[in-house]
Structures are given as structure tokens and as C-alpha cells.
Amino acid sequence: MTEQTVHVLLVEDNSLHLRLIQKLLAGETQLNYQVEAVGTLTDALACLENRPIDLILLDLILPDSQELETLFKVRSAAPEVPVVVLTSLDDVSLAARAVEAGASDFLLKTRLSGITLGRAIRYTLARVRAHGAEWDSPMLRLAQQQFLKAAQIMGLDDNIRQRLLFPQRTQVVSFPFFRDDRSQVETVFGYRVQHVLTMGPTKGGIRYHEDVDLGEVAALATWMTWKCALMGLPFGGAKGGVRVDPTTLSKKELQRLTRRYTAEIIDIIGPDKDIPAPDMGTNEEVMAWLMDTYSQQMGYAVPAVVTGKPVVLGGSLGRREATGRGLVYMIEAAASHIGIDLQGASAVVQGFGNVGSYAARFLEEAGARIIAVSDVSTGLYNPNGLSVSALNQHVAENHVLQGFPEAETISNAELLELECDVLALAALQNQVTVNNAGRINCRLLAEGANGPTTLEADEILNERGVLILPDVLGNAGGVTVSYFEWVQGMQNLTWTHDEVNERLKSILLNAFERTLQRATRDSQDLRTAALIEGVARVTEAKLLRGVFP
Ligand code: GLU
């Protein structure tokens, strides 16, 4: 279930309808609602002044205001907040006029169910978001700020700087899929963004998450470009996503959604064009459906259209654990650079999905004591060390960490501030910010997630002597083994597990060494040095190819 809370102002003077709507909202599972209920326009306007409201459910006939007048007054008090009009059967034409006059939708009170109400609210919010500046996301701002900082330090040509700031190709789709009851059709937004097409095919994961928007996908595609260039892989960066909470969908629904999304973006993907992979909310199974849909359209099996697929379909050995394994190779290198011996070192891992759980396992194998871990359900702390195999077993049985017996529970904020040698961030973006950077208590902060640290937080941590292993190095293991999978697929070869891991280690450590040398030589932090390495390679390629025509 989602954590997102929607603040709804419910303006309804009929107490029966009021109670019904409140009850329906309380029973809705896809979003959490915080409802403020009032019965007059005066109270509604006061509420809009004092509280943050995401959406207004509005009865147009109130004791102190009637018909469109009600809508106009509400809209002029809060022009940016969407209004869904509540109407009875005999007032439908008034409701339709209200929609013409700027309301987002109307709902018939007599035919209201939890499903119709929930959908109207979700679709209205999705529309508002689509109408708003999609590019304007905090993540894209962060990716662009980081890039501009690197560009300035390296004295990047202004033409190239403009060219790399936004992605080269973007596809935005909205598409339907059937829910399991076959009576409901959900419409969702999907994206595929290709940031740089100069280096070869583009490469990057597909994310299913309720917060996905164009700006987020563009930021992630940008980071993929730097990451691939830094590793020396023959790819430009891409990313895809669907704005949906996959935890609310059944497996069959996920499969229908994936197949339709694939069909929508089929023209711009392909083994020589753009190769998707798993990311947050997607996995091997989703890649199998994507590969099957693509192959059905082509008329023959095309395993190399995706990476991160099951081994039996041409997936690479070692791909599943590659991001976590790569993170730990990098942590070992960074730790030894600052004199931390992982044997006996204390480590905290935020996030226990694919990246975090494998990172915890490999850290434990390297001799570290895992004193805390977390996932969406809880944080766990045990100063004597948690057993990663026991944690994995608990998650296999219960899906989440919550309820694990051999630990104290702690909040996410507390977990981030624990004293430790290594803090590995393998959850979401925007975790270490100006608000908590001063209290982060580790020696090495290793980024497994994309964009978990803001630029201001970087500065504070650098000043405090915390070494940051940036995401473009920290999580590059995933795309590096994806590259191996693609190469194996194109050549119909299979490599052994050892071969994969050896090649992975050598590529990652080489990139780490180059970055460290540059950072030392130019007195830069690792993030800036890593970005400069990546940007320099892309720039060289762009200049060699020139501008068409
Ligand atoms: N989604 C992963 C990333 O962000 C992997 C991408 C890939 O393997 O292409 O790096």
C-alpha cells in the first residue's frame, strides 16, 4: 500500500452524503486520505486559506452559496487546487456546466462507490500533474545541478552543455489495462526517455512507482548516460517508467500493464536501439513479459531486447545480484582508500530490495557487522549485528522486514543518523538533505540508490570529512552486468558466473581508480570527478560525430 497522503477538502452540507463519502474514502486502499469536512462556503474558504489542500470535493448547492457562484468563489480562492463537483441526479446539467467552467470532473452522489470515487480522485490528480510542468521535478533539478557543476569545473563547451542538459528523445504515453474484474479499465501514464543517442544503443531500467513523472525519468536517464560513459560501456543513458503503484496490482494486472506499455514504446526499443532492464518496482518476470511482447511483434525470439531477464530466457548469471555486488566491490575499494578494514567494520543499509539485500549479504561476507537495515515497513537495529540470512528468510516468509524478532525497531531518520563506518543508501532518492546531513554519523556514505543525496548535503558531508561514493559508481554493477548480458545475447554465448564477476570487478575498479586519480589531481570530490569522467567521454564522442546536417 502507498504512503502518499492526499489532503481532501470535502464541502457538503447534507450530513448523510457527507458520512457516506467519508466512509468511502476511509475504505479506499490506493491512496491515504486526510479529509477536512465543512458544510458552508465560508468554512471552505477559511479552510483553503489555512491548510494545504490537494483536491476539493464540492457540492455546489450550499446554505450560503448556490450553483456556479460556489465554484467561482472556491476557484478564485485556490486556483491551483482541482475541484471535483458532487452532484445529485437532478443537477447533472449544472455539474456539466461546472466542468466547462473549470471543475475537473463531477460525481453522482447517488451512484457513488469506493471505486468510482477513488478513481475520480486519482485521475484528477494525475491530470493536474500532467498539466503542470512535468519536467519540473526535484530529481531533474538535482541531476542538472550536478551536471552544471561538473560542466563549470571542466570548462565544458557551451554548445555541448546545452545539448546535454535535456534528453534527446522522449516518449510520453497514456494507456489502459484491464483490472482483474474485467469491468474496470485503468488508464496510466508511461514514459521512455533516451538522454544521449551518440554512444550506441541507449540503456536503462524501467520503474513502476506512483511518483514517476517525466522529470524523474529524465533525471534517471541522465545519470545512466554518465554511468555508462564512466564504465566505458557502449551505451547512452535511458530510463522508462509507469506512474502506478505496483503493490496494488495482481500479477495478472502487472502482466497486462507491462505488455501494453511495451506495445506503446515498441518503436523506440530494440537490441540495437534501446534496451530496458529492471529498476524499482520491476523484476526478472516483468522483463520476461516485455521480451515476450516484443518477440511476438517481431515474429521470433529477441532475448537481447531486455537485460535482467530470467537466466533460462537468456539472462546472465550474476545479473540479479550485480548491483549489490558491485556496490560492495566499490565499498571495499573506497573503504581501503580511507583506511577502513571491512573486517569488523559496522555497516547500516537503508533499503532491503534487490540492491540493499544483496549489498547487506556481501558486506556481511566481507566481514562487516550489519547493525541496521530498513525497508518500507520498518527499520531494524541490533548493535551486535543482524544475520542477513535470517533477515532474508523473514522477508521470504513475510514479504517485509517488519516483525523480525532479533532487533529493536527504529525510524528511517534514526537509521540514517546511526554511528557506523559504512552507510549504504539503497532505497529512494532525496534521503540525505540539508536537514540531516549535519547529523549523518558514518565515515563512508555509499550510494546504491540513484540520487539519494542532495547537492547541499554533499557539501556539508564533504566539509565534515565523510567520503561519498556517488551513485554513478556505487550502483554501476547493475548496468555493467546488463552490458554482459546484452553481449552474450547478441553473440549467443553464455559466460560462467566467475567470468561475469571477474569482468565486473575489473571494470568497476578501473572506473573507481580513474575517478580517484582525477579527484586527487583536481582536488574534487568523487561525485564531481566521476561526472567529469563521464561527461568528458560523451563530449569527445559528440565532437567527433559533429552536428547533423
Ligand atoms: N536500473 C538499473 C540502473 O539504474 C539497471 C539498468 C540496466 O541494467 O540497464 O542502473
Side-chain angles (χ1 to χ4, degrees):
M1 196 197 296
T2 176
E3 292 290 300
Q4 203 179 335
T5 299
V6 178
H7 297 91
V8 174
L9 173 60
L10 171 56
V11 191
E12 171 63 71
D13 63 329
N14 178 324
S15 59
L16 210 71
H17 289 156
L18 191 95
R19 278 204 301 279
L20 169 74
I21 294 168
Q22 279 175 316
K23 209 171 125 207
L24 292 176
L25 288 176
E28 242 276 309
T29 52
Q30 294 210 25
L31 293 173
N32 298 321
Y33 296 101
Q34 199 173 340
V35 184
E36 196 70 45
V38 295
T40 63
L41 178 69
T42 316
D43 288 349
L45 296 180
C47 201
L48 283 171
E49 233 171 68
N50 300 327
R51 291 189 239 295
I53 298 290
D54 299 311
L55 182 135
I56 305 164
L57 291 173
L58 181 67
D59 182 1
L60 293 175
I61 317 288
L62 297 170
D64 55 347
S65 176
Q66 297 284 305
E67 307 207 335
L68 290 183
E69 188 71 18
T70 314
L71 177 72
F72 293 145
K73 293 220 165 109
V74 165
R75 295 275 299 156
S76 60
E80 70 293 345
V81 183
V83 176
V84 175
V85 167
L86 298 166
T87 181
S88 38
L89 203 51
D90 47 356
D91 266 341
V92 174
S93 67
L94 169 64
R97 274 189 289 135
V99 171
E100 275 168 37
S104 294
D105 201 353
F106 68 82
L107 283 169
L108 268 180
K109 288 189 267 189
T110 38
R111 298 224 186 109
L112 222 45
S113 71
I115 290 174
T116 45
L117 182 59
R119 279 159 61 101
I121 293 178
R122 279 185 287 120
Y123 285 2
T124 301
L125 293 174
R127 264 173 60 200
V128 168
R129 191 155 179 177
H131 286 157
E134 281 254 14
W135 290 106
D136 190 21
S137 92
M139 243 166 127
L140 184 57
R141 267 198 297 281
L142 174 62
Q144 291 182 335
Q145 272 175 312
Q146 292 173 347
F147 165 66
L148 289 172
K149 181 178 169 192
Q152 200 208 345
I153 291 169
M154 67 195 285
L156 188 68
D157 177 297
D158 193 44
N159 296 325
I160 299 273
R161 194 168 63 147
Q162 294 309 323
R163 185 77 185 108
L164 293 174
L165 210 45
F166 280 93
Q168 283 184 228
R169 190 181 283 165
T170 292
Q171 183 148 354
V172 181
V173 294
S174 82
F175 63 92
F177 68 97
F178 271 112
R179 298 303 296 258
D180 283 341
D181 66 10
R182 288 275 160 182
S183 69
Q184 286 185 68
V185 175
E186 289 279 341
T187 301
V188 290
F189 283 89
Y191 309 88
R192 185 72 188 171
V193 172
Q194 299 167 349
H195 177 244
V196 161
L197 288 94
T198 312
M199 315 299 291
T202 47
K203 185 85 193 80
I206 288 175
R207 174 171 286 207
Y208 290 171
H209 192 274
E210 68 265 29
D211 286 338
V212 160
D213 59 24
L214 184 56
E216 175 172 323
V217 180
L220 292 162
T222 308
W223 283 320
M224 285 304 300
T225 297
W226 312 143
K227 191 158 50 179
C228 291
L230 176 60
M231 296 298 130
L233 311 179
F235 297 133
K239 206 77 166 201
V242 178
R243 182 149 72 238
V244 72
D245 178 358
T247 62
T248 61
L249 302 181
S250 72
K251 213 177 215 190
K252 286 180 181 162
E253 289 168 339
L254 263 184
Q255 179 170 171
R256 287 194 288 272
L257 170 113
T258 301
R259 288 186 181 281
R260 181 60 190 254
Y261 169 65
T262 308
E264 295 292 335
I265 61 165
I266 206 153
D267 287 339
I268 61 166
I269 60 171
D272 295 312
K273 287 187 189 170
D274 180 13
I275 305 123
D279 197 79
M280 201 186 288
T282 58
N283 55 18
E284 287 177 12
E285 201 169 26
V286 172
M287 294 306 115
W289 296 325
L290 202 154
M291 176 259 178
D292 183 71
T293 308
Y294 186 86
S295 302
Q296 294 297 340
Q297 297 300 312
M298 297 301 133
Y300 53 94
V302 189
V305 67
V306 288
T307 59
K309 55 194 169 288
V311 171
V312 71
L313 293 179
S316 178
L317 293 172
R319 173 63 185 86
R320 189 185 298 163
E321 60 271 32
T323 315
R325 188 186 288 280
L327 181 59
V328 176
Y329 285 153
M330 291 293 199
I331 289 175
E332 279 172 332
S336 104
H337 172 65
I338 52 171
I340 301 175
D341 185 357
L342 279 190
Q343 189 69 44
S346 54
V348 170
V349 181
Q350 186 202 29
F352 208 71
N354 174 272
V355 183
S357 62
Y358 279 112
R361 182 176 129 189
F362 296 127
L363 278 169
E364 189 183 57
E365 280 176 20
R369 191 163 32 97
I370 312 296
I371 60 167
V373 294
S374 67
D375 69 0
V376 280
S377 72
T378 190
L380 300 172
Y381 173 57
N382 184 340
N384 300 319
L386 296 153
S387 152
V388 178
S389 57
L391 290 169
N392 279 327
Q393 194 173 339
H394 181 85
V395 172
E397 284 158 16
N398 304 279
H399 305 292
V400 287
L401 290 172
Q402 198 166 39
F404 183 76
E406 293 140 43
E408 260 175 64
T409 59
I410 52 171
S411 70
N412 186 48
E414 289 167 334
L415 174 127
L416 292 175
E417 294 170 18
L418 284 173
E419 188 181 343
C420 60
D421 293 310
V422 181
L423 170 62
L425 303 179
L428 283 167
Q429 57 269 21
N430 207 25
Q431 295 301 299
V432 180
T433 66
V434 72
N435 298 323
N436 60 357
R439 294 190 302 275
I440 298 293
N441 223 337
C442 63
R443 294 168 68 195
L444 171 62
L445 184 149
E447 297 183 340
N450 288 305
T453 312
T454 65
L455 214 57
E456 295 85 349
D458 266 355
E459 261 165 44
I460 298 171
L461 293 169
N462 287 335
E463 261 168 38
R464 293 185 51 228
V466 174
L467 181 68
I468 303 175
L469 177 72
D471 47 8
V472 285
L473 284 172
N475 64 29
V479 70
T480 303
V481 178
S482 272
Y483 164 60
F484 300 160
E485 182 172 327
W486 178 74
V487 168
Q488 292 170 79
M490 297 298 267
Q491 302 186 351
N492 298 312
L493 282 176
T494 47
W495 300 357
T496 64
H497 219 132
D498 284 348
E499 216 173 336
V500 167
N501 289 343
E502 271 161 35
R503 286 180 196 254
L504 171 66
K505 194 169 189 175
S506 118
I507 288 186
L508 292 188
L509 294 187
N510 176 283
F512 181 80
E513 278 309 318
R514 272 186 284 121
T515 306
L516 191 60
Q517 268 172 23
R518 186 184 279 273
T520 315
R521 191 187 64 212
D522 301 345
S523 310
Q524 293 302 336
D525 55 80
L526 286 181
R527 186 187 315 282
T528 310
L531 290 186
I532 293 178
E533 276 283 313
V535 173
R537 189 179 163 96
V538 175
T539 301
E540 194 183 340
K542 284 231 172 255
L543 290 175
L544 284 168
R545 282 187 60 166
V547 177
F548 173 83

